Amino acid sequence: MSDTPSVAPSSPSQAQLDRFAELFNQSLTLRHFGARMSFPEGRKVVVELPEVQPQHRGGLGASAVNGGVLSALFDFAIGCTPALRDPTRRCATVQLSMSFERPATGPHLRVEAVIDNGGPSTVFASAKLMDAEGRVCARCQGVVRVSSQPWASGESPATN
């Protein structure tokens, strides 16, 4: 079987995207991390950390969120952008490039990711991470590989 998927005939419905997010939000991974995903208006991926916890903060008593946590939030968001085209196919982030512009502090964070370009098997996406006041704290560009294989669960990457 070829790993070069065919192009989806049309964009997924909002109901399909909402189902993908619902299943992913129920996964142990996102529940443990405390993050939530959504696809507002089917145009972007939003990952929110609605309540920054002490374990999300950096070392040395800093109030800023740890860079590894920011990286994970970017990976969730960028890695799910292919769902905006076809939520049924497996995909995986293969590259992330992040720029930290200011400390990410405050009670909650939000990442918004969009598709910039790509073809049937590769998506180029970008994202920004904002604090509770809406200030951009970090930016990211990423590459995601899209497979012809469906998700193991049939509907989302949520397997646990």
Side-chain angles (χ1 to χ4, degrees):
M1 177 176 220
S2 170
D3 197 37
T4 304
S6 61
V7 177
S10 63
S11 297
S13 69
Q14 188 64 49
Q16 287 174 298
L17 293 171
D18 290 345
R19 178 69 176 157
F20 180 97
E22 174 189 353
L23 292 171
F24 205 12
N25 287 335
Q26 292 173 9
S27 72
L28 290 175
T29 303
L30 283 189
R31 285 189 298 146
H32 179 74
F33 199 78
R36 304 263 322 147
M37 174 190 301
S38 63
F39 297 93
E41 302 169 8
R43 295 184 197 171
K44 61 185 170 186
V45 178
V46 172
V47 175
E48 296 182 273
L49 188 58
E51 188 176 341
V52 174
Q53 299 289 320
Q55 66 268 23
H56 296 132
R57 305 272 180 205
L60 304 173
S63 62
V65 175
N66 183 282
V69 172
L70 302 183
S71 176
L73 292 172
F74 277 136
D75 188 27
F76 290 147
I78 295 270
C80 287
T81 56
L84 294 166
R85 292 185 173 169
D86 184 353
T88 66
R89 295 193 327 213
R90 293 182 190 204
C91 57
T93 306
V94 295
Q95 188 271 331
L96 288 176
S97 176
M98 294 170 283
S99 301
F100 300 109
E101 298 178 9
R102 67 175 8 166
T105 59
H108 58 86
L109 300 175
R110 177 183 175 100
V111 175
E112 295 181 0
V114 295
I115 293 174
D116 295 326
N117 205 341
S121 62
T122 305
V123 168
F124 298 90
S126 59
K128 59 185 176 181
L129 180 136
M130 294 155 292
D131 64 14
E133 285 78 42
R135 295 178 298 198
V136 175
C137 300
R139 296 179 195 274
C140 181
Q141 292 181 314
V143 180
V144 184
R145 175 79 168 102
V146 182
S147 173
S148 61
Q149 300 292 316
W151 291 110
S153 72
E155 294 184 276
S156 89
T159 59
N160 54 22

